[in-house]
């Protein structure tokens, strides 16, 4: 099929590269506030992220069973959470760890969503699963490890589902905005950015939550910005202070891990809040939000 | 075979090392909450740090003139700041940058303090200046660059002045607590810890403010913990959100840079608040503090 | 479609989750030297990586034209390079940058390979392109940004092509080995690890080449380890010293960027060696290798 | 004593600040190669650092006893080391760890130096000890933790002893050169820079040895640059590969920890070479150096 280096007829098979194909495109800055001064509001079911309310996304790290999912969703609903989270496809460092329930996990998320009236967000790891998520999920999460998986970004950019884009452990602000740009450039304008901790030398917490990225992002982009304190701190008892700090710093919401029985969780139980802890945190957040003229 | 530098009997001059001299001492954990469950309250003049109030330390990066110092101190006072800050000895990366006014700077701090009734904190860089600071200053700051200058830590450990110990750019929680331990071990129990940003890969902010260190430190130590958002973010417009986050996360106070004319500041003007910005921030902090049952 | 939480007929639609599906698998350690003491040798065409020789992979960052590819390949061949590199699919931070020639790039790589007799390695970004790369390429590169794109790792794990796995900017040794494990676990035993610089606070170089990872990896795994100095330093004049250090530290080879006209390169020209610089470096490496009883 | 803000006689006591005192000095760039193209050669006793030879500084982390010091010095001498190292004043994270033998340690270093004919370098932590070190030591080390202890830098800048300046864990190239500038600006032109590992996220090694800083520094400054692999890697078995890489990358020498009985060392025994390991490393380095036309 390829041209050989010897004779002429074969060389005719060499592709003729259009010089235009090698040129960069004229850069757009679809993410930039300078080109779009008003805040973007992203709708997930009936929930608006970025419109002034403080939106709480909560749920278990991974979907494990119907009982776990429905019970936890009810705790999220009762506490005042607006969106449910849960992983059906799990990015795990080791191939031998629990990898998620896959399509069955999506079914259970749907059940829990119906049981509580909450829309749900779940992570997409493989473009092959995008049609299924588009059909079933309310919001698609691109996880920290795929923040520069540009093939995947392009594909969700062609989707009509809202996207929750998590900053990677090593992602600069410029890179995060450029990864968002991949999605916007594809036509999907419903992108929510999420700070979830960066990797530093400090090991007292799992990662280092970079809350200063919130005012930086709010200045540079019109996209909503939320904070995931759970993955950043890695320990349940540090989640509530960081969640309150996220509200104070001006984030549009948080994503926290809640599990009906954290001690039995298959993944990240150490950082998941008990339902009662979640309810207590929500009460505190509501008080703080009211003082700032915001609702939860 | 061996010899000292003068004469033949010389071998008698070889020191006889007491094996005890080589042994580590039994470790104490004077900083640890497990050994001292109640919060330590550090008194600076009439101000109590660590007793539940949210203490605001404010002032210019460096002392420049009587007019600058007194005007700024009045703005701090009017805004509701409790302690004045200002550098008379300045640690500058380049030897050719302004190095501070030295003793004259202390005199001006004293004047500004008297004019406003505010106690002041100022940085000690050289142990030679300790007697002067002990005589004149209300609180001695050990800056981030000297966080593991153990000779200096030992010396302020023998002082009776309260010490503000700033975490270095690459200091782990364990190291910070051990540096505090050097001071406590010397007999000085009045130590306040200060998070001021760590060095990471991110350059959108000057450093990365690690607010999660506040709940971590509150758990491990009884010492008060404050936050310096100004040096961490490096830009005026990001200071207020981080200051509010510091209150929300549970810090005992903040240290912020305020300058009567930031655009003319000799050092760090870009991150210094205007008096009006400071007043506005303080109003917001008072509202938040009241909601949490705290005073400023 | 989904089951409701109330009545029985619908509950029948709830998936019955086999409790086994939630269990982690028994961990294997296919990468570990303790289970496989002898060095693995990975064959790419006629070239053996890991068998004691010092293998040099060289070529342009991206494939741009037939002329560029063939000329550069000839320079690589003349200098003594063993494997050709070139990107047909380019992971670019911005969606507006040149994204690579895609299948046409592979055709040109094939032409250049035939013209010189060199096998070639090229990056896979999207699993959709795997069949094409399996058909055409001699070795498949997984780039730093996809180091934890576990879906992609699983898919190349089921391929029979050798894989060059580049450490990410924030990948720990443990994580790198676990990413390799994903590939090994799939049945593909031909994995070469590549250090290419990690992200630190230092900006004098593009990234920080972590050469100490070479002895660490050689101790922990039987897989070959090579070093990419070009991406790590980001500047042409620092490439040769780091390449020599890579040989001295015990790496199994290097991957360096060479371009027939670096000043006209569409990507990473600043870090690409001129053919004459490459030839000079190769001469120095051959001298050093000979002294260590190794061949290039 | 201080002036009050109200009445005139007291205001007379306010210092009159000369506006010149607030101005930065005209920056010099004494460290810069552009102003001093030829390499600086620093002499330590009879040893020249920076003149083309590869200088090996070796010895224990801390001075412990006459026997330990003399035995280790003899091993250093026999292996071919040019300068002895050993700490009499030890910067330890914990105040309860062994802090060094102080002046007795200097005496033992002097004994070991006389016994072997080797000059020695030892760390200065406290300016109070400078006169003693100036009298006794051949070279003064400023440790990583004091890299921005500007008071100390100014004081060794006024000394006539050569200075070994170690890069801190968080020191950028620019900062390192500015810290050297403090010493040069004081009049002391005998400064040797030392890379000893920076702090990153990776924990497989104690720190991350940044060998790329060697060509970067060689380009920017005329000062000699050496490498300390021992503190960077933290484990004995990784020291030799990194030492060889330091030679290959173009450093002017290395500083390695050697102890006659590492398993009994009071400090850093895990990273200290046995005398036989040191001898073996030296033989390898001599072979490599000869090939590059350098001597050890």
């Amino acid at each position: 099929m390829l041209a050989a280096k010897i004779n002429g007829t074969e060389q005719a098979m060499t592709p003729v590269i259009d010089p235009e194909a090698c040129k960069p495109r004229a850069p757009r800055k679809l993410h930039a506030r300078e080109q779009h001064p008003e805040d973007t509001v992203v709708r997930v079911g009936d929930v608006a992220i970025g419109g002034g309310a403080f939106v709480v996304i909560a749920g278990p790290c991974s979907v494990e069973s119907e009982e776990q999912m429905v019970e936890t969703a009810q705790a999220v609903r009762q506490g005042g959470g607006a969106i449910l989270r849960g992983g059906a496809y799990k990015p795990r460092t080791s191939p031998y760890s629990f990898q998620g329930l896959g399509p069955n996990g999506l079914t259970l998320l749907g059940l829990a969503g119906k049981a509580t009236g909450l829309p749900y967000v779940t992570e997409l790891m493989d473009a092959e699963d995008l049609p299924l998520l588009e059909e079933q999920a309310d919001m698609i999460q691109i996880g920290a490890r795929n923040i520069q998986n540009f093939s995947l970004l392009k594909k969700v950019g062609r989707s009509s589902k809202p996207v929750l884009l998590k900053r990677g452990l090593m992602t600069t602000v410029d890179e995060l905005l450029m990864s968002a740009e991949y999605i916007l450039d594809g036509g999907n304008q419903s992108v929510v950015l999420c700070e979830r901790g960066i990797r530093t030398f400090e090991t007292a917490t799992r990662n280092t939550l970079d809350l200063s990225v919130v005012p930086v992002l709010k200045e540079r982009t019109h996209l909503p910005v939320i904070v995931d304190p759970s993955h950043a701190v890695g320990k349940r008892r540090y989640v509530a202070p960081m969640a309150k700090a996220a509200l104070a710093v001006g984030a549009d919401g948080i994503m926290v891990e809640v599990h009906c029985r954290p001690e039995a969780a298959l993944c990240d139980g150490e950082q998941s809040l008990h339902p009662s802890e979640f309810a207590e945190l929500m009460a505190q957040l509501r008080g703080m939000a009211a003082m700032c003229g915001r609702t939860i």
Side-chain angles (χ1 to χ4, degrees), chain A:
Chain A
M1 185 193 90
L2 297 177
K5 65 277 172 191
I6 313 167
N7 83 40
T9 40
E10 289 189 3
Q11 284 185 5
M13 297 181 71
T14 307
V16 179
I17 308 297
D18 177 359
E20 290 301 308
C22 291
K23 289 194 182 157
R25 292 163 55 204
R28 304 197 284 178
K29 293 183 77 176
L30 300 172
H31 69 273
R33 190 175 281 280
E34 68 206 53
Q35 297 185 11
H36 184 302
E38 67 281 15
D39 286 344
T40 283
V41 177
V42 172
R43 299 199 170 273
V44 180
D46 291 337
V47 182
I49 309 182
F54 187 76
V55 173
V56 177
I57 304 174
C61 180
S62 61
V63 181
E64 300 167 9
S65 69
E66 180 180 358
E67 184 187 18
Q68 170 246 18
M69 224 23 255
V70 173
E71 265 190 50
T72 302
Q74 285 166 340
V76 169
R77 176 63 187 245
Q78 284 161 21
I83 301 176
L84 187 62
R85 65 148 286 156
Y89 302 93
K90 296 301 306 169
R92 302 301 299 273
T93 301
S94 163
Y96 309 117
S97 300
F98 172 51
Q99 307 273 313
L101 293 178
N104 283 340
L106 296 181
T107 305
L108 296 181
L109 278 163
L111 280 173
K114 282 211 174 170
T116 55
L118 298 174
Y120 75 85
V121 57
T122 196
E123 180 165 350
L124 173 69
M125 288 177 62
D126 191 318
E128 282 182 11
D129 302 314
L130 179 54
L132 195 60
L133 263 74
E134 286 190 297
E135 185 192 312
Q136 300 196 13
D138 300 291
M139 186 180 210
I140 294 171
Q141 176 178 313
I142 300 295
R145 292 168 184 82
N146 282 316
I147 184 67
Q148 291 197 317
N149 179 345
F150 301 119
S151 298
L152 196 62
L153 296 178
K154 285 179 181 174
K155 285 167 185 167
V156 296
R158 293 192 291 266
S159 173
S160 59
K161 285 281 173 179
V163 176
L164 180 60
L165 181 64
K166 297 188 89 171
R167 183 188 190 187
L169 289 176
M170 75 298 152
T171 310
T172 64
V173 167
D174 287 340
E175 290 170 346
L176 175 58
L177 292 173
M178 278 296 127
S179 287
E181 189 78 18
Y182 266 94
I183 303 172
L184 299 170
D185 180 47
N188 188 341
Q189 305 304 309
S190 297
V191 179
V192 175
L193 305 177
C194 181
E195 158 65 22
R196 47 79 74 219
I198 57 174
R199 186 164 271 176
T200 70
F201 64 87
E202 181 59 75
T203 56
T205 43
R206 181 173 173 173
N207 297 120
T208 299
L209 192 67
D210 177 14
L211 284 178
S212 58
V213 86
V214 177
V216 171
L217 287 172
K218 290 306 244 176
E219 179 180 70
R220 295 205 197 161
T221 183
H222 52 85
L223 299 172
V225 180
I226 70 167
V227 170
D228 171 354
S230 305
H231 282 85
V233 299
K235 285 178 193 149
R236 187 179 304 129
R237 62 193 182 275
Y238 304 146
V239 170
M242 299 315 287
K244 289 185 273 184
L247 171 55
V249 88
D252 293 299
I254 51 172
M255 178 151 82
V256 288
E257 292 196 344
V258 176
H259 192 289
C260 53
R261 279 174 299 282
E263 49 289 348
L266 295 181
C267 178
D268 286 347
E270 207 190 339
Q271 72 199 28
S272 296
L273 298 180
H274 285 273
S276 62
E277 292 167 325
F278 177 67
E280 186 185 340
L281 169 61
M282 289 300 289
Q284 294 174 336
L285 290 173
R286 267 190 296 269
M288 283 181 66
M291 209 210 67
C292 316
R294 301 179 65 181
T295 55
I296 294 193

